[in-house]
PDB file of all heavy atoms in Angstrom:
ATOM      1  N   LEU A 557      12.071   0.859  -5.621  1.00  0.00           N
ATOM      2  CA  LEU A 557      10.952   0.261  -4.915  1.00  0.00           C
ATOM      3  C   LEU A 557      10.069   1.356  -4.268  1.00  0.00           C
ATOM      4  O   LEU A 557       8.908   1.302  -4.094  1.00  0.00           O
ATOM      5  CB  LEU A 557      11.498  -0.705  -3.789  1.00  0.00           C
ATOM      6  CG  LEU A 557      10.429  -1.388  -2.921  1.00  0.00           C
ATOM      7  CD1 LEU A 557       9.552  -2.203  -3.704  1.00  0.00           C
ATOM      8  CD2 LEU A 557      11.102  -2.143  -1.836  1.00  0.00           C
ATOM      9  N   SER A 558      10.736   2.392  -3.771  1.00  0.00           N
ATOM     10  CA  SER A 558      10.118   3.498  -3.074  1.00  0.00           C
ATOM     11  C   SER A 558       9.115   4.136  -4.054  1.00  0.00           C
ATOM     12  O   SER A 558       8.004   4.505  -3.630  1.00  0.00           O
ATOM     13  CB  SER A 558      11.130   4.510  -2.531  1.00  0.00           C
ATOM     14  OG  SER A 558      10.429   5.614  -1.958  1.00  0.00           O
ATOM     15  N   THR A 559       9.582   4.372  -5.272  1.00  0.00           N
ATOM     16  CA  THR A 559       8.710   5.100  -6.287  1.00  0.00           C
ATOM     17  C   THR A 559       7.506   4.171  -6.579  1.00  0.00           C
ATOM     18  O   THR A 559       6.432   4.623  -6.739  1.00  0.00           O
ATOM     19  CB  THR A 559       9.489   5.442  -7.560  1.00  0.00           C
ATOM     20  OG1 THR A 559      10.556   6.365  -7.135  1.00  0.00           O
ATOM     21  CG2 THR A 559       8.611   6.090  -8.611  1.00  0.00           C
ATOM     22  N   PHE A 560       7.796   2.884  -6.753  1.00  0.00           N
ATOM     23  CA  PHE A 560       6.703   1.902  -6.923  1.00  0.00           C
ATOM     24  C   PHE A 560       5.695   1.985  -5.828  1.00  0.00           C
ATOM     25  O   PHE A 560       4.445   2.053  -6.090  1.00  0.00           O
ATOM     26  CB  PHE A 560       7.243   0.452  -7.071  1.00  0.00           C
ATOM     27  CG  PHE A 560       6.223  -0.554  -6.793  1.00  0.00           C
ATOM     28  CD1 PHE A 560       5.210  -0.829  -7.660  1.00  0.00           C
ATOM     29  CD2 PHE A 560       6.256  -1.291  -5.571  1.00  0.00           C
ATOM     30  CE1 PHE A 560       4.210  -1.755  -7.381  1.00  0.00           C
ATOM     31  CE2 PHE A 560       5.225  -2.150  -5.279  1.00  0.00           C
ATOM     32  CZ  PHE A 560       4.264  -2.481  -6.165  1.00  0.00           C
ATOM     33  N   GLN A 561       6.152   2.018  -4.606  1.00  0.00           N
ATOM     34  CA  GLN A 561       5.265   2.089  -3.421  1.00  0.00           C
ATOM     35  C   GLN A 561       4.436   3.343  -3.456  1.00  0.00           C
ATOM     36  O   GLN A 561       3.180   3.371  -3.175  1.00  0.00           O
ATOM     37  CB  GLN A 561       5.979   1.934  -2.120  1.00  0.00           C
ATOM     38  CG  GLN A 561       6.577   0.580  -1.900  1.00  0.00           C
ATOM     39  CD  GLN A 561       7.429   0.431  -0.679  1.00  0.00           C
ATOM     40  OE1 GLN A 561       8.129   1.356  -0.329  1.00  0.00           O
ATOM     41  NE2 GLN A 561       7.424  -0.676  -0.097  1.00  0.00           N
ATOM     42  N   ASP A 562       5.022   4.493  -3.860  1.00  0.00           N
ATOM     43  CA  ASP A 562       4.386   5.721  -3.946  1.00  0.00           C
ATOM     44  C   ASP A 562       3.241   5.670  -4.996  1.00  0.00           C
ATOM     45  O   ASP A 562       2.135   6.132  -4.796  1.00  0.00           O
ATOM     46  CB  ASP A 562       5.311   6.944  -4.210  1.00  0.00           C
ATOM     47  CG  ASP A 562       6.258   7.204  -3.123  1.00  0.00           C
ATOM     48  OD1 ASP A 562       5.993   6.793  -1.981  1.00  0.00           O
ATOM     49  OD2 ASP A 562       7.222   7.953  -3.429  1.00  0.00           O
ATOM     50  N   LYS A 563       3.576   5.091  -6.154  1.00  0.00           N
ATOM     51  CA  LYS A 563       2.618   4.968  -7.277  1.00  0.00           C
ATOM     52  C   LYS A 563       1.489   3.995  -6.901  1.00  0.00           C
ATOM     53  O   LYS A 563       0.282   4.278  -7.222  1.00  0.00           O
ATOM     54  CB  LYS A 563       3.310   4.550  -8.582  1.00  0.00           C
ATOM     55  CG  LYS A 563       4.222   5.683  -9.082  1.00  0.00           C
ATOM     56  CD  LYS A 563       4.843   5.268 -10.374  1.00  0.00           C
ATOM     57  CE  LYS A 563       5.751   6.378 -10.895  1.00  0.00           C
ATOM     58  NZ  LYS A 563       4.977   7.485 -11.491  1.00  0.00           N
ATOM     59  N   LEU A 564       1.856   2.898  -6.208  1.00  0.00           N
ATOM     60  CA  LEU A 564       0.727   1.981  -5.870  1.00  0.00           C
ATOM     61  C   LEU A 564      -0.125   2.598  -4.796  1.00  0.00           C
ATOM     62  O   LEU A 564      -1.371   2.413  -4.836  1.00  0.00           O
ATOM     63  CB  LEU A 564       1.363   0.698  -5.278  1.00  0.00           C
ATOM     64  CG  LEU A 564       0.355  -0.427  -4.889  1.00  0.00           C
ATOM     65  CD1 LEU A 564      -0.366  -0.906  -6.210  1.00  0.00           C
ATOM     66  CD2 LEU A 564       1.070  -1.612  -4.248  1.00  0.00           C
ATOM     67  N   THR A 565       0.395   3.283  -3.878  1.00  0.00           N
ATOM     68  CA  THR A 565      -0.387   4.052  -2.907  1.00  0.00           C
ATOM     69  C   THR A 565      -1.289   5.079  -3.548  1.00  0.00           C
ATOM     70  O   THR A 565      -2.473   5.158  -3.238  1.00  0.00           O
ATOM     71  CB  THR A 565       0.569   4.736  -1.841  1.00  0.00           C
ATOM     72  OG1 THR A 565       1.278   3.753  -1.147  1.00  0.00           O
ATOM     73  CG2 THR A 565      -0.285   5.556  -0.808  1.00  0.00           C
ATOM     74  N   ALA A 566      -0.778   5.841  -4.436  1.00  0.00           N
ATOM     75  CA  ALA A 566      -1.619   6.848  -5.198  1.00  0.00           C
ATOM     76  C   ALA A 566      -2.727   6.112  -5.955  1.00  0.00           C
ATOM     77  O   ALA A 566      -3.882   6.676  -5.961  1.00  0.00           O
ATOM     78  CB  ALA A 566      -0.759   7.629  -6.185  1.00  0.00           C
ATOM     79  N   ALA A 567      -2.475   5.011  -6.534  1.00  0.00           N
ATOM     80  CA  ALA A 567      -3.545   4.269  -7.300  1.00  0.00           C
ATOM     81  C   ALA A 567      -4.519   3.773  -6.288  1.00  0.00           C
ATOM     82  O   ALA A 567      -5.761   3.923  -6.482  1.00  0.00           O
ATOM     83  CB  ALA A 567      -2.893   3.119  -8.032  1.00  0.00           C
ATOM     84  N   ALA A 568      -4.172   3.190  -5.155  1.00  0.00           N
ATOM     85  CA  ALA A 568      -5.110   2.744  -4.184  1.00  0.00           C
ATOM     86  C   ALA A 568      -6.021   3.782  -3.600  1.00  0.00           C
ATOM     87  O   ALA A 568      -7.155   3.655  -3.431  1.00  0.00           O
ATOM     88  CB  ALA A 568      -4.366   2.011  -3.044  1.00  0.00           C
TER      89      ALA A 568
END
Side-chain angles (χ1 to χ4, degrees):
L557 180 63
S558 177
T559 300
F560 158 71
Q561 290 174 329
D562 291 345
K563 289 181 181 285
L564 185 64
T565 297

